[in-house]
Amino acid sequence: MAPEDLTRQQQELTTSPPDPEVAEKPVRRRFTAKYKLDILNQVDSCTKPGSLAALLRREGLYASNLNTWRRQRDEGSLAALTPKQRGRKALKPDPMAVENERLRKEITRLAKRLKQAELIIDVQKKVSQILGITLDTPPESESD
């Protein structure tokens, strides 16, 4: 055997085998805008044959990632490179509904205060009857 073959065999023995365990749920990779721009700059600087493929293998990327990121970059905004928020879009609340809710809460608060005031007035009437104090009644208004 040639010495090169021995060193290659030694390297294969010293490297640990990959872990055969598979994760329960794969984690989706998320790329930041800065990372995308860095990779695109590195791709643009690849001039030697095979250097682009080596970069993609090293980073674990696909050519489709580059195509998407280039298109996003050419659209002109850095914000276009950030991942889109998935799921339903949040609806803006209707201003009338917000105002109605605020008014309902105020009505509920005022109704509680009115009930408390009527209870206090009833207690004052009963105490005045027990003590024999006559209360002046306000004159009736014609608008009632």
Side-chain angles (χ1 to χ4, degrees), residues 112-127:
K112 285 180 184 177
R113 290 197 59 191
L114 176 62
K115 185 176 180 181
Q116 183 181 17
E118 288 175 343
L119 183 64
I120 291 171
I121 291 171
D122 287 342
V123 169
Q124 286 176 343
K125 285 180 185 178
K126 289 180 183 177
V127 168

Side-chain angles (χ1 to χ4, degrees), residues 73-85:
R73 180 184 62 183
D74 294 342
E75 286 174 357
S77 68
L78 183 64
L81 290 173
T82 57
K84 302 252 189 281
Q85 186 70 24

